[in-house]
Amino acid sequence: MASPAPKSPEQSEKSKKYDRQLRLWGDHGQNALEGSHICLINATGLGTEILKSLVLPGIGGFTIVDGKKVSEEDIGAKFFLDIDSLSKPRAQIATQLLVELNPDVKGDYVDEPIEELLKNNPNFFSSFSVVITTALNERALLPLSELLWNLEVPLIVARSFGLIGLIRLQIKEHTIIESHPDTQNPDLRLDRPFTALEQYVARINLDEMDLKDHAHVPYIVPLLKCLMEWKTIHNGELPKNYKEKDELRNLIKNKIKFNEEGVPEYEENFEEAIKAVNFAVTPSIVPKEVLNILNDDCCINLTSKSKPFWIMAKAVKDFIENEGHGCLPLRGTLPDMTADTNNYIALQQLYVQESGRCAEIVHRRVQQLLHQLGQQSDAISEADTKLFCKHSSSIALIRGSRIADEYDSKLINTSLISQGIENPDSLIVYYVMLRGLDRFYGEYNHHPGEFGDEHDIVKLKGCVSKLLTEWGCGSLSKDDYVHEICRYGGAELHSVSAFIGGCVAQEAIKIVTGQYKPINNTFIYDAINSSTETFAF
């Protein structure tokens, strides 16, 4: 009687609950998310959409800052408010309803205008992982931008106005270990094979194998054998152009077995080896973006306040210059390939062991650096170093700009605006309109078109023209955009808020987990044409 198949290990309740997202950012990403505390300023329809999309995946907690009461407009823009909420504190009601979505998330609120909080308790914001604002006027936004820039707390400004959405990310410095690039070639090191790999390949005699075994050898074996043969007759050089790579492909083809009739057998592993010539037979170099990080002043000149990212980057830099002989630590992963289980596992173990050896060298250097800098030896774990080494070829660094700088005509990128308003396909015109809208609100204390006054069109056009003149830009080619803004009358549409809310939550998760690259730095959504565009101011 056949024995029953072994049972899969039981998933924890947390794994069951967050299974899909754990596949995206792993346990360590989820732990970072659960340790985060998000501040939302203004619980508008957009604000609650943002928090909904952060509460569901399991942030640690949130605090809403809002001094307003629930209005009829709020009930129309928010999916979970009803008439019983009318005139109650907006922050309190939103908090009560949001925590019901996930009992693991703690919610708090401050029923106070942001202007008062900035004036009386500016240190309130220092403990947050990210601060997110919606429907915030210039008078409050500029001091908040300055404050959070100095505190090095990331700020996300989100807007939903009629059929326009905007996200502006302000972050002083953001380092990313797991950037998850869309495409990445496997790190096989065939140009500089490590000793264990050379010995493994040398032990395999392809000529003595029968067809079954021959067709189940990992493609790395015939590829490396043929590459070493090619290098022997070409002074140790790698094939550089199409013609030379074609010669290497022909060497691999000649290794394919023939049947009794003299016809080449179809061996999928050898076909994979031929295809791999394009991406696997390349010099193992440090990517330019990574090199820029390793040569950054923060990496070269460490201090007692240096963050773990920079200490590990310095250790990797030292590895490259010494034991690595110009190469990054080995990634230690293999792509899928045609092979029998034993051969694939044996090869995989070689790469894992070599990767571990590299990471061990780097971690020893990390410990030395921590000691020299007077930091705790457990400030960076061995697991942290291994993760850094594994992803060292795709680490990323973002240094942003202050939102407050956009309100200085000498600092804002006027050439970007000039080029944008001349391009009929560019969405930057909506940035100009929203800035004009802010100027209008600052002067008249209401949104254009909010009370159906046709004179608002002339007033808004004047605000936009004045802004463009200050920036040294030409005027808008047509007034359609001004009429459209006035037609919205300050309305917030739930469908637009839902889309922007999801996008903002995604950016916040990127920042908190330190995974994936956030936008840099302004994102605009045109719901009329369902188009988006990103600009870097």
Side-chain angles (χ1 to χ4, degrees):
M1 220 177 137
S3 58
K7 288 185 178 180
S8 300
E10 279 291 320
Q11 277 189 309
S12 66
E13 286 303 313
K14 176 178 164 182
S15 295
K16 289 177 183 176
K17 184 175 182 178
Y18 299 126
D19 178 66
R20 284 173 132 186
Q21 63 202 50
L22 288 172
R23 298 166 194 260
L24 288 176
W25 52 70
D27 289 325
H28 54 293
Q30 186 64 31
N31 290 337
L33 200 62
E34 291 173 5
S36 67
H37 192 178
I38 308 295
C39 175
L40 172 71
I41 297 171
N42 293 332
T44 58
L46 173 56
T48 51
E49 281 291 336
I50 294 167
L51 278 185
K52 177 200 76 175
S53 297
L54 289 170
V55 168
L56 289 173
I59 56 171
F62 66 86
T63 299
I64 296 176
V65 176
D66 193 340
K68 292 186 177 180
K69 308 297 181 186
V70 175
S71 65
E72 291 183 357
E73 289 79 6
D74 289 321
I75 295 171
K78 296 180 193 176
F79 70 95
F80 58 13
L81 289 183
D82 55 33
I83 198 68
D84 294 335
S85 308
L86 197 62
S87 301
K88 293 179 181 178
R90 196 161 69 169
Q92 179 186 0
I93 297 298
T95 301
Q96 288 172 353
L97 295 170
L98 284 164
V99 293
E100 289 179 10
L101 298 175
N102 191 340
D104 295 335
V105 178
K106 295 178 181 178
D108 196 6
Y109 68 92
V110 177
D111 184 14
E112 185 179 342
I114 178 64
E115 293 85 356
E116 293 296 319
L117 202 55
L118 281 169
K119 181 181 176 182
N120 300 327
N121 187 15
N123 289 330
F124 171 81
F125 297 97
S126 61
S127 61
F128 292 110
S129 309
V130 182
V131 174
I132 302 170
T133 76
T134 68
L136 193 64
N137 60 55
E138 286 183 6
R139 288 192 298 272
L141 176 60
L142 295 188
L144 181 67
S145 165
E146 292 271 9
L147 174 68
L148 296 180
W149 182 266
N150 293 329
L151 291 173
E152 298 189 19
V153 174
L155 168 65
I156 303 177
V157 174
R159 302 188 68 169
S160 174
F161 192 90
L163 293 170
I164 304 168
L166 178 140
I167 303 170
R168 170 62 160 94
L169 172 60
Q170 172 183 287
I171 192 162
K172 197 168 191 176
E173 179 183 281
H174 183 57
T175 53
I176 308 154
I177 296 174
E178 296 173 82
S179 63
H180 299 273
D182 293 332
T183 56
Q184 189 176 47
N185 287 333
D187 183 12
L188 302 178
R189 300 292 168 93
L190 301 186
D191 61 321
R192 300 184 186 184
F194 47 95
T195 305
L197 178 60
E198 283 185 312
Q199 291 172 349
Y200 171 80
V201 171
R203 286 195 300 268
I204 296 175
N205 190 332
L206 294 173
D207 297 332
E208 294 180 356
M209 287 182 169
D210 60 25
L211 179 59
K212 182 183 176 183
D213 291 338
H214 198 263
H216 288 86
V217 171
Y219 76 72
I220 289 175
V221 175
L223 179 54
L224 184 53
K225 279 183 177 291
C226 292
L227 179 59
M228 292 168 77
E229 186 180 329
W230 196 93
K231 287 170 70 176
T232 301
I233 55 177
H234 290 85
N235 299 317
E237 296 290 325
L238 288 175
K240 297 182 179 65
N241 51 44
Y242 180 83
K243 181 183 176 183
E244 292 180 346
K245 287 190 175 183
D246 213 34
E247 290 176 15
L248 177 57
R249 291 188 193 96
N250 288 329
L251 281 177
I252 298 168
K253 287 177 185 176
N254 292 335
K255 300 285 185 185
I256 295 175
K257 281 193 174 291
F258 289 80
N259 63 19
E260 293 174 355
E261 297 172 359
V263 178
E265 296 280 3
Y266 177 75
E267 298 186 88
E268 195 170 349
N269 53 340
F270 278 78
E271 294 299 324
E272 290 173 353
I274 291 166
K275 290 177 183 176
V277 168
N278 282 333
F279 62 82
V281 183
T282 54
S284 298
I285 58 172
V286 181
K288 184 181 177 183
E289 296 80 5
V290 176
L291 209 53
N292 290 339
I293 292 173
L294 299 182
N295 290 327
D296 192 276
D297 185 64
C298 288
C299 180
I300 294 170
N301 298 310
L302 297 177
T303 68
S304 58
K305 295 182 180 179
S306 290
K307 294 176 181 177
F309 178 92
W310 292 112
I311 296 171
M312 289 188 286
K314 171 62 174 166
V316 166
K317 179 180 174 67
D318 292 344
F319 173 86
I320 293 168
E321 293 171 353
N322 295 285
E323 298 90 348
H325 305 291
C327 293
L328 288 163
L330 185 69
R331 198 178 304 151
T333 55
L334 280 184
D336 291 337
M337 59 185 72
T338 302
D340 64 83
T341 304
N342 291 337
N343 271 318
Y344 184 80
I345 291 174
L347 187 61
Q348 189 179 49
Q349 285 177 343
L350 291 181
Y351 276 87
V352 169
Q353 288 165 5
E354 180 62 17
S355 170
R357 187 189 72 83
C358 295
E360 190 179 330
I361 294 169
V362 173
H363 190 62
R364 282 202 299 268
R365 181 61 182 143
V366 165
Q367 292 298 304
Q368 291 172 359
L369 291 169
L370 288 172
H371 179 72
Q372 291 169 11
L373 297 170
Q375 294 195 25
Q376 296 291 325
S377 60
D378 59 354
I380 301 173
S381 69
E382 191 171 356
D384 294 335
T385 306
K386 282 183 177 179
L387 187 72
F388 192 97
C389 290
K390 181 179 180 180
H391 299 284
S392 58
S393 61
S394 56
I395 56 174
L397 168 67
I398 292 177
R399 288 199 174 106
S401 59
R402 291 189 311 170
I403 291 172
D405 290 346
E406 291 175 33
Y407 292 78
D408 186 332
S409 57
K410 295 176 183 177
L411 297 176
I412 191 171
N413 189 344
T414 54
S415 62
L416 180 66
I417 296 172
S418 296
Q419 292 168 15
I421 60 176
E422 291 171 6
N423 180 0
D425 297 323
S426 175
L427 298 185
I428 207 164
V429 65
Y430 289 120
Y431 171 82
V432 176
M433 297 310 302
L434 290 173
R435 285 292 305 275
L437 168 68
D438 290 340
R439 180 72 63 92
F440 181 101
Y441 192 90
E443 290 183 19
Y444 303 106
N445 207 34
H446 70 270
H447 290 117
E450 188 174 349
F451 304 113
D453 188 348
E454 291 185 4
H455 293 95
D456 284 355
I457 295 173
V458 177
K459 293 175 183 176
L460 178 60
K461 186 177 178 182
C463 291
V464 172
S465 298
K466 190 176 179 182
L467 260 179
L468 290 170
T469 302
E470 290 172 8
W471 295 336
C473 301
S475 59
L476 295 177
S477 57
K478 51 186 179 180
D479 295 339
D480 294 12
Y481 297 108
V482 174
H483 286 268
E484 188 72 10
I485 292 293
C486 289
R487 190 170 71 87
Y488 297 152
E492 181 182 1
L493 303 182
H494 180 252
S495 58
V496 176
S497 294
F499 177 81
I500 293 295
C503 293
V504 172
Q506 178 176 278
E507 297 308 308
I509 289 170
K510 289 177 185 177
I511 293 168
V512 168
T513 61
Q515 298 186 39
Y516 300 91
K517 290 182 181 179
I519 56 169
N520 184 29
N521 52 31
T522 302
F523 172 87
I524 295 176
Y525 171 55
D526 172 11
I528 299 171
N529 300 309
S530 294
S531 56
T532 63
E533 197 169 351
T534 305
F535 306 96
F537 282 102

